[in-house]
Amino acid sequence: MEAFETYQTPLSSRYASKEMAHLFSPAKRFSTWRQLWVNLAIAEQELGLPISEQAIEEMKNNLELTPEQFEIAAAEEKKRRHDVMAHVHTFGKVAPAAAGIIHLGATSCYVTDNADLIFIREALTLLIRSLSILISRLSGFAAQYRDLPTLGFTHFQPAQLTTVGKRATLWIQELLWDLRNLKRARDDLGFRGVKGTTGTQGSFLTLFDGDHEKVEQLDQLVTKLSGFEYAYPVTSQTYSRKIDADVLAPLASLGATAHKIATDIRLLANLKEIEEPFESTQIGSSAMAYKRNPMRSERVCSLARHLMVLHQNALMTSSVQWFERTLDDSANRRITLPEAFLTADIVLSTLQNISEGLVVYPKVIARRISQELPFMATENLIMAIVKKGGDRQEAHEKIRVLSHEAGYQVKQLGLENDLLDRVRADPYFEPIKPDLDSLLDPASFIGRAPQQVDTFLKDWVEPALASKELQDAISASQRVELSV
């Protein structure tokens, strides 16, 4: 019952993937701290400090914390009011040979900041793979409906026709830009390394008796052991919080894309042209039993707004860091960084679930086209009459009068658009009556939309997803089943 009597964030308790939720868990955080202490000890030993093999082996054999160790660490933190030192002492109890050298020369940010950079990089990798799967799913949808005509909308008013597949490519293109941005953020990410209390490496210079070269080698070696290609050349006590802002910027941009896609789907659901998945036992409303609410798309919009505003939090934190460091970033970042990645993870998994079950209603789409196409085809009718020897101005006036009469039927009387019937009944249009069906074929109003879909998928999507990393992710992917 205890779990039900304490607040839990719905990000992890209801929505997020197991992989992303674990990445920001206490178990993962503190085991990563221990691995960083191992890396530091190995590097210091290699460069000549008197650290025994037994010390390193005991540390290596106790990277994972047991429930008892979590209790010890909690008691130590309550006593010392310092989370890092609490875990230094807890680690020393299970690795007694290393107790005296754990954290040697380091400051708290050696583990906290470097661990955060590790988590950020791993989280970006998870998002990149999830995003590639979503792009792949939507690309299949775009290809399937590449030539299905649908009414376009500008200002949410009827416009010229497009296709269902072409509209999907607009979503995909923005997701491709998000993929590019996430990969850039991951590839640009560096390591804090070993920099000391204010970034001067003074403690390590003391340890190595003033040997600057060994201090530089230590920084490089720990960076390599931790899996990074480079460390930031200069830092204060922390790595610059501008890095957090730079990382959360593409996440916020992804949120904007997701919100646009989900909003389009919500509007299309209202038009009954396309719907998100709706399970046989799903309830749309507790009162109105007939309803099929687009709750998945609404969830995406809700969380996407949260994701977008978190970037502002990172910007404000970055802007108020005084000199070499101030601790007013700490509690904020404990919330902001995990929430940003958990939220992005949920947005992507929910969009994937939607994309895997989108339902298209061609007959509803065709009916809406039939209501609007006669007005859009008037220019074609005028040109056809002229080609048969008619007068352009006379034809224009005839069409204008008939269009207004049909518009009255639609807007004032609530009837169907009968413009074509009026054209067929008017002797003036006798020369083109045999051609009316072809002149009003929706396929003749979609321009190059199908060809644009084909070219876009071949020239832009396929290359963007061509890497082994992304192809492996797509091949191994399964359908997303939402827990709630």
Side-chain angles (χ1 to χ4, degrees):
M1 286 297 295
E2 183 179 352
F4 298 100
E5 295 173 346
T6 305
Y7 173 78
Q8 295 180 340
T9 172
L11 293 177
S12 58
S13 64
R14 286 175 64 89
Y15 304 130
S17 67
K18 291 181 179 178
E19 294 81 5
M20 192 66 80
H22 173 68
L23 182 58
F24 290 98
S25 68
K28 178 67 173 178
R29 174 168 297 277
F30 299 133
S31 67
T32 302
W33 286 9
R34 290 187 173 188
Q35 182 61 62
L36 286 165
W37 281 319
V38 171
N39 294 347
L40 180 61
I42 290 173
E44 288 176 336
Q45 181 199 55
E46 184 172 324
L47 291 170
L49 294 187
I51 297 174
S52 68
E53 287 293 336
Q54 182 182 355
I56 292 175
E57 285 304 309
E58 287 185 0
M59 294 168 74
K60 286 182 177 180
N61 292 335
N62 289 280
L63 293 177
E64 304 299 326
L65 282 75
T66 63
E68 293 76 17
Q69 290 175 50
F70 273 105
E71 292 178 3
I72 293 171
E76 288 282 352
E77 184 173 358
K78 184 176 182 180
K79 179 173 65 175
R80 303 176 188 279
R81 300 296 178 184
H82 198 290
D83 56 350
V84 173
M85 286 307 298
H87 279 272
V88 167
H89 284 275
T90 303
F91 199 12
K93 290 181 183 299
V94 294
I101 57 93
I102 295 171
H103 201 64
L104 182 60
T107 188
S108 298
C109 288
Y110 167 70
V111 287
T112 58
D113 272 34
N114 282 323
D116 282 342
L117 291 166
I118 291 171
F119 301 148
I120 288 171
R121 187 177 62 173
E122 292 185 19
L124 285 169
T125 294
L126 291 175
L127 293 182
I128 287 166
R129 293 173 182 174
S130 295
L131 180 52
S132 70
I133 295 167
L134 173 60
I135 292 171
S136 176
R137 298 290 196 269
L138 286 175
S139 296
F141 178 84
Q144 180 179 356
Y145 295 103
R146 59 184 287 279
D147 57 359
L148 178 61
T150 190
L151 191 63
F153 292 97
T154 58
H155 314 276
F156 202 29
Q157 300 299 312
Q160 292 295 318
L161 301 190
T162 182
T163 68
V164 172
K166 170 62 190 300
R167 179 176 283 149
T169 63
L170 302 179
W171 304 338
I172 297 167
Q173 180 168 248
E174 294 195 9
L175 292 172
L176 287 178
W177 293 333
D178 293 318
L179 180 64
R180 173 204 63 194
N181 294 342
L182 292 176
K183 291 171 71 175
R184 281 178 179 172
R186 182 185 65 176
D187 295 344
D188 285 348
L189 202 64
F191 199 56
R192 177 191 175 274
V194 289
K195 298 296 197 295
T197 54
T198 58
T200 66
Q201 298 177 311
S203 58
F204 296 105
L205 192 63
T206 300
L207 280 175
F208 289 102
D209 299 323
D211 191 329
H212 290 268
E213 184 177 348
K214 282 193 173 181
V215 175
E216 290 182 2
Q217 290 175 346
L218 178 71
D219 202 2
Q220 295 166 3
L221 185 53
V222 171
T223 298
K224 182 178 179 181
L225 288 169
S226 301
F228 282 76
E229 292 185 4
Y230 81 101
Y232 296 117
V234 293
T235 74
S236 60
Q237 186 175 99
T238 69
Y239 70 79
S240 170
R241 298 314 183 211
K242 189 173 180 66
I243 300 299
D244 294 344
D246 288 349
V247 167
L248 265 58
L251 270 63
S253 183
L254 172 63
T257 302
H259 201 294
K260 186 265 191 297
I261 295 171
T263 299
D264 281 357
I265 294 171
R266 292 167 66 188
L267 294 171
L268 290 168
N270 175 265
L271 298 174
K272 297 179 174 59
E273 294 188 2
I274 293 179
E275 288 183 342
E276 66 178 37
F278 195 91
E279 297 162 17
S280 60
T281 58
Q282 184 174 331
I283 296 174
S285 168
S286 62
M288 297 168 280
Y290 62 88
K291 293 198 75 179
R292 293 169 65 96
N293 297 332
M295 52 81 71
R296 292 168 171 84
S297 297
E298 290 173 317
R299 179 183 299 172
V300 169
C301 288
S302 179
L303 291 172
R305 290 198 301 272
H306 180 59
L307 181 57
M308 286 186 278
V309 301
L310 286 174
H311 181 226
Q312 294 299 314
N313 208 341
L315 287 171
M316 288 187 283
T317 296
S318 176
S319 72
V320 296
Q321 292 304 288
W322 301 349
F323 302 116
E324 281 65 50
R325 109 130 314 166
T326 177
L327 196 60
D328 65 353
D329 65 333
S330 179
N332 188 299
R333 295 176 67 255
R334 288 174 191 260
I335 299 168
T336 300
L337 291 178
E339 281 198 358
F341 284 102
L342 288 167
T343 304
D345 173 69
I346 299 160
V347 164
L348 287 176
S349 63
T350 308
L351 279 176
Q352 182 184 332
N353 173 267
I354 293 169
S355 71
E356 291 170 343
L358 281 173
V359 181
V360 178
Y361 296 105
K363 293 187 182 299
V364 176
I365 294 172
R367 182 173 182 272
R368 181 159 283 106
I369 290 174
S370 71
Q371 293 173 332
E372 302 293 342
L373 188 59
F375 293 135
M376 299 177 190
T378 54
E379 184 69 13
N380 289 16
L381 300 180
I382 293 170
M383 292 301 101
I385 280 288
V386 172
K387 287 181 178 179
K388 296 290 186 178
D391 180 273
R392 190 268 176 194
Q393 313 310 331
E394 185 178 1
H396 183 279
E397 179 61 18
K398 285 280 188 180
I399 288 292
R400 186 189 70 81
V401 172
L402 295 180
S403 295
H404 282 290
E405 292 174 353
Y408 179 85
Q409 299 293 309
V410 173
K411 296 177 180 179
Q412 299 298 327
L413 303 181
L415 301 176
E416 295 295 322
N417 186 339
D418 63 354
L419 176 58
L420 292 185
D421 294 334
R422 293 175 183 275
V423 169
R424 287 190 174 96
D426 192 321
Y428 178 80
F429 294 99
E430 193 67 37
I432 65 169
K433 286 181 182 177
D435 304 322
L436 283 178
D437 287 341
S438 61
L439 288 171
L440 293 164
D441 180 5
S444 66
F445 289 84
I446 59 176
R448 297 190 61 255
Q451 291 73 28
Q452 286 181 334
V453 173
D454 296 341
T455 300
F456 175 71
L457 295 179
K458 180 177 182 295
D459 293 350
W460 293 92
V461 176
E462 289 182 15
L465 303 182
S467 70
K468 185 178 186 302
E469 176 191 14
L470 301 189
Q471 284 299 305
D472 288 347
I474 294 168
S475 298
S477 65
Q478 298 179 341
R479 291 176 65 89
V480 169
E481 299 295 336
L482 301 181
S483 59
V484 290

